[in-house]
Amino acid sequence: MEIWINPACSKCRSAISVLDAEGADYTVRRYLEDVPSADEIRDVLARLGLEPWDITRTQEAAAKELGLKEWPRDAEARERWIAALAEHPKLIQRPIITADDGTALVARTDEAVRDALSR
C-alpha cells in the first residue's frame, strides 16, 4: 500500500496516524517532491474510478491562475486536466491511498483509511 501525502496537510497526518495505529505496512510518497507522472495519475484515476477534475483542489492558487473552474469536464479535456495535475501536483487531492487489492481511494477521513486497510 502506498499513501500520497503532503506533510503540511492535517488530513495526511491523520491518515498516517491511523495507518500506524493499525500496524499497517505502507510506503509514503511525498508527492510534491516525488511528483507523479501523467501516466501515474492516469493509473491512480483508473484505480479510483474517478476523473481528474474529481481529485483536483480547485481552491488552490494555481487552479485559480489556470482558470480550472471554467475548464470543460469531458473526455476531450481529460488529458488537459491530467497534464495540469502533473505540472502542479499541489492541485491533487490528498491523501490518496493505493490499496493492496489494486484499488485506490481519497482517504480524507479515518473511516476511509480503515476502508483501505480492509481491501
Side-chain angles (χ1 to χ4, degrees), residues 55-60 63 90-94 108:
I55 65 162
T56 300
R57 298 172 54 86
T58 58
Q59 295 304 313
E60 291 288 336
K90 196 168 189 177
L91 296 177
I92 300 171
Q93 190 59 262
R94 60 190 181 251
R108 296 190 55 77

Side-chain angles (χ1 to χ4, degrees), residues 10 15 33 38 42 52 67 72 88 92 97 104-105:
S10 63
E33 298 163 16
R42 280 186 211 94
H88 305 279
I92 300 171
I97 295 177
L105 54 90

Side-chain angles (χ1 to χ4, degrees), residues 53 56-74 77 80-81:
W53 44 85
T56 300
R57 298 172 54 86
T58 58
Q59 295 304 313
E60 291 288 336
K64 291 177 181 177
E65 288 172 22
L66 293 169
L68 287 182
K69 284 191 175 184
E70 280 73 49
W71 286 16
R73 296 176 181 215
D74 57 26
R80 182 179 179 199
W81 283 85

Side-chain angles (χ1 to χ4, degrees), residues 12-26:
C12 294
R13 292 191 306 272
S14 177
I16 294 290
S17 293
V18 172
L19 292 173
D20 288 344
E22 298 290 332
D25 181 23
Y26 64 94

Side-chain angles (χ1 to χ4, degrees), residues 23-80:
D25 181 23
Y26 64 94
T27 302
V28 170
R29 180 171 187 171
R30 293 176 179 222
Y31 71 95
L32 297 180
E33 298 163 16
D34 181 8
V35 179
S37 68
D39 283 341
E40 289 174 303
I41 292 169
R42 280 186 211 94
D43 178 62
V44 164
L45 288 168
R47 293 174 78 167
L48 287 165
L50 297 173
E51 293 296 338
W53 44 85
D54 296 326
I55 65 162
T56 300
R57 298 172 54 86
T58 58
Q59 295 304 313
E60 291 288 336
K64 291 177 181 177
E65 288 172 22
L66 293 169
L68 287 182
K69 284 191 175 184
E70 280 73 49
W71 286 16
R73 296 176 181 215
D74 57 26
E76 289 181 17
R78 188 171 198 270
E79 287 303 312
R80 182 179 179 199

